[in-house]
Amino acid sequence: MIPIRPNVLGMEPYVQGKPIEEVKRELGLTRVVKLASNENPFGPSPKAVAAIQEAASTMHLYPDGGAYALKQAISSKFDIATNQIMVGNGSDELIHLLGLITLDKPTDELMMCNPGFARYDASAHLAPCRLVKIPVDSKHVQDLEAMADAVNENTRIIYLANPNNPTGTIVRRNAVDRFLDRVPESVVVVLDEAYYEFAMHHPEFPTSLEYIKAGRENVVGLRTMSKAQGLAGLRIGYGFASTTIVDAINRAREPFNVSRLAQVAAIAALEDDEHVRKTVEHNRRGLELLAGVFAEVGAEPGESFANFMYADFHRPTRPIYQALLQRGVITRPGDLLGNPNCLRVSIGTQEEMDIFVEELRNVTTPAVAK
Ligand SMILES: *Cc1c(COP(=O)(O)O)cnc(C)c1O
């Protein structure tokens, strides 16, 4: 018998949103739309695609392990020093690394909300630590007072996804200010801003950069190119933190953790404001459409500041998910997200959204009506 670490055996393998090709093959369907993984309906930034095409012939060379040019681009865009910037193979990798540099003993605690983002769970399982999950409030918002109450001398790292995945809600500046005042400065507080571009225009949306620039040494900001920039398949994320944390990440990471092509694409995508603007604009209309149809079929749409909507059906959504799947619409059922009564649906193209609306009506309306 090979003695695998018990923490690892306790992990659930990640269940990915079903790939379109698999659903077509298994169900014999020709038309399948996927609204399960919060991908960009407009595809990748065209500037990023062009940059990759140009750089493709240099892929025999190792990437710049220090990501000099990319960090310069991030530095000038967000006005922060390059030694306060980290880059990763998706922000998932940065989450993994943050666990590696902070969690040391079985009594150490990683705190997150429930339902929350699954990679935080995974990070906790890979380290010797205790995972503490604090339920969101009745409006699906992270309960920062309850989280601050739960902090103790063992708390090492706290994740606040802002907006939160899967609920789509944000925590506002006042609440985050108060929270940071209550949490000791020795506790790392990660503001995971994977959906930053979709929420940044809200006047009460606080960015990690505000706190980091004000000198909060324990705050980490995480961003990704997977959502608004449409580079999920390339795997590129970045983050901001104090030099102490960035230095630790640089020691722990693989030397070539971000590929050459990902680096050039990321630089190009950072300059492509037009692609992001178009994406965010379309997203706003998509959220309105979804809020309307969820209410129409008797579900309660959550307030979303991301590129997906989380709706409470007040009954298990697995059958609805299954029925939609049979009709070629892939969504994310709540039992995979930490709340069996909810369904998460990403904003797709107009055509995909129209199909979703039609099929949701079909699967939630009693058949006798037709
Ligand atoms: C999508 C997502 C990420 C990870 O994105 P990467 O593709 O790994 O960069 C991180 N956090 C949250 C909350 C997300 O939804």
Side-chain angles (χ1 to χ4, degrees), residues 313-325:
F313 282 72
H314 303 291
R315 61 188 157 110
T317 55
R318 178 57 62 166
I320 298 168
Y321 160 79
Q322 281 296 350
L324 286 169
L325 193 62

Side-chain angles (χ1 to χ4, degrees), residues 112-115 133-138 141-144 146-147:
M112 61 182 286
C113 70
N114 187 42
K133 288 190 176 192
I134 307 294
V136 295
D137 70 17
S138 62
V141 177
Q142 294 173 87
D143 188 341
L144 296 191
M147 291 177 89

Side-chain angles (χ1 to χ4, degrees), residues 90-92 95 117 120 161 165 192 194-195 224 226-227 235-237:
S91 50
D92 280 356
I95 292 165
F117 186 53
Y120 313 150
N165 179 7
D192 181 348
Y195 303 95
T224 178
S226 297
K227 311 285 161 56
R235 315 301 303 126
I236 170 83

Side-chain angles (χ1 to χ4, degrees), residues 305-345:
F305 298 89
N307 65 350
F308 55 84
M309 187 162 273
Y310 180 82
D312 191 349
F313 282 72
H314 303 291
R315 61 188 157 110
T317 55
R318 178 57 62 166
I320 298 168
Y321 160 79
Q322 281 296 350
L324 286 169
L325 193 62
Q326 295 297 325
R327 291 163 172 271
V329 180
I330 313 169
T331 58
R332 197 81 174 145
D335 51 20
L336 294 180
L337 299 171
N339 181 347
N341 288 356
C342 289
L343 190 72
R344 194 192 70 190
V345 180

Side-chain angles (χ1 to χ4, degrees), residues 51-68:
I52 285 191
Q53 279 163 345
E54 202 183 304
S57 64
T58 64
M59 69 169 102
H60 60 299
L61 301 173
Y62 275 101
D64 171 8
Y68 178 82

